[in-house]
Amino acid sequence: SQVASVKVVEQLTINPVADAQTICVGGTADEFEVTYTGGTGTPSYQWFSNTTNTNAGGTEIPGATNSTYTPNAFDTVDNYFFYAEVSIDGVGCNTDASEVFQINVINDPVIDNQPIATQELCQNATPTDLSVIVSGGTTSDKTYQWYSNTSNANTGGTPIADANSSQYTPATNNVEESYYYVIISQTESGCQVTSEVATIKVNEAPEVTKDPVSSEICLNGTATLLEVEYEKGTGTPSYQWFSNTTNTNTGGTAITGANSPSFNPPTDAVGEIFYYAEISFTSGGCTEIYSQVASVKVVEQLTINPV
């Protein structure tokens, strides 16, 4: 007869699989792949999921019949196990199961301290830094990206260049209302958390809109009430009236108890005294503002000369 060749090869052996993967809730695992040596003929693949770390007794995954498989995103914290069975249609070739592909799904990182929710400031004031404290997630480094937004939402914002740390100092040079948030990410799939929105409202600096009015009165008469008003700015105003010996709104002497928007100057001594008010603000970084000076001149009462 003619010669017949009988070639015997090693049985199918599946190569080692990748190490376990750790991802966060909502993440997707890297693609699984099985390769093998030995055997002969055309291979067939079937992937299985399992509740334990073993490559037997699993549940067949419908349609997972390729050498690669990517599970759907994971929505629950748990450990998940997968393996593949490979068979070859060559004569006498066995079926082999891969080692277990393990996916550890953990919670996303958590923001323990959110950025301060609202700040209302004067233009060019120094704001409180926006900062976050984050815990949880995986052991890999966390990266930060701050965003600005034109609406009160923590989606759809614009990344701020170089704002890549756990804290950010917003600008206050423009009169506007702005919104900020930060996204904290890790290299593992799904490991991300977004902060709440921080609102920064920048107002124009305050300015005096009504200054005290000068008056000249007789001794012990009733002087014109000194009044001051302002607009713009932010925060609760505090008032302090000053008296001065010169016509200037600096260097005066604070008048005890004169802490309201109006002041009734005394007229019990002849002479000219100059008054002005300082308005300061408890919050918002607004600088003090000063009224114009009002002169209160007290003269002697009318005296009729002898006839």
Side-chain angles (χ1 to χ4, degrees):
S1 68
Q2 295 297 315
V3 174
S5 169
V6 177
K7 185 176 182 180
V8 179
V9 298
E10 295 285 346
Q11 285 285 1
L12 167 72
T13 300
I14 297 179
N15 297 322
V17 304
D19 293 335
Q21 299 180 51
T22 298
I23 63 175
C24 290
V25 171
T28 302
D30 293 337
E31 182 182 68
F32 304 153
E33 182 177 13
V34 288
T35 59
Y36 65 91
T37 59
T40 186
T42 302
S44 298
Y45 301 89
Q46 179 60 60
W47 287 89
F48 296 81
S49 62
N50 213 347
T51 56
T52 58
N53 189 3
T54 180
N55 62 355
T59 300
E60 188 175 292
I61 302 172
T65 54
N66 296 316
S67 62
T68 59
Y69 173 67
T70 303
N72 294 326
F74 295 89
D75 297 325
T76 305
V77 173
D78 206 343
N79 296 326
Y80 297 84
F81 308 97
F82 301 88
Y83 64 92
E85 286 186 354
V86 183
S87 59
I88 295 185
D89 61 5
V91 176
C93 293
N94 64 357
T95 296
D96 194 16
S98 72
E99 297 172 359
V100 174
F101 293 82
Q102 181 172 340
I103 306 299
N104 304 320
V105 181
I106 65 175
N107 281 315
D108 289 318
V110 175
I111 298 177
D112 300 311
N113 284 357
Q114 294 282 351
I116 185 170
T118 304
Q119 296 182 63
E120 189 168 355
L121 306 162
C122 273
Q123 190 174 11
N124 297 317
T126 301
T128 300
D129 286 343
L130 305 179
S131 64
V132 291
I133 297 177
V134 183
S135 63
T138 67
T139 58
S140 66
D141 291 338
K142 295 176 175 65
T143 60
Y144 300 82
Q145 179 60 63
W146 288 89
Y147 293 78
S148 62
N149 213 347
T150 55
S151 61
N152 189 3
N154 61 357
T155 58
T158 301
I160 303 170
D162 300 322
N164 306 119
S165 71
S166 61
Q167 67 179 35
Y168 172 67
T169 304
T172 61
N173 53 306
N174 293 325
V175 176
E176 61 186 2
E177 185 166 298
S178 301
Y179 307 93
Y180 300 91
Y181 63 93
V182 62
I183 296 178
I184 302 98
S185 305
Q186 295 180 285
T187 55
E188 292 80 8
S189 178
C191 295
Q192 178 174 293
V193 63
T194 302
S195 75
E196 296 173 0
V197 175
T199 302
I200 305 293
K201 183 177 181 181
V202 179
N203 298 318
E204 291 185 67
E207 58 184 28
V208 175
T209 56
K210 181 178 182 180
D211 288 300
V213 177
S214 299
S215 61
E216 183 173 349
I217 64 276
C218 289
L219 185 67
N220 294 318
T222 300
T224 300
L225 185 68
L226 304 179
E227 296 179 289
V228 66
E229 294 178 0
Y230 80 97
E231 65 179 16
K232 303 175 185 176
T234 186
T236 302
S238 297
Y239 298 87
Q240 178 61 61
W241 287 90
F242 292 81
S243 62
N244 212 345
T245 56
T246 57
N247 188 5
T248 178
N249 62 359
T250 59
T253 301
I255 303 170
T256 303
N259 306 118
S260 70
S262 61
F263 173 64
N264 195 8
T267 60
D268 56 353
V270 173
E272 185 177 23
I273 302 294
F274 302 95
Y275 297 93
Y276 63 93
E278 175 194 81
I279 307 174
S280 57
F281 300 86
T282 56
S283 62
C286 301
T287 56
E288 299 87 355
I289 56 176
Y290 297 87
S291 73
Q292 295 295 317
V293 174
S295 165
V296 177
K297 188 175 183 180
V298 179
V299 298
E300 294 284 356
Q301 286 284 358
L302 171 67
T303 301
I304 298 177
N305 298 323
V307 298

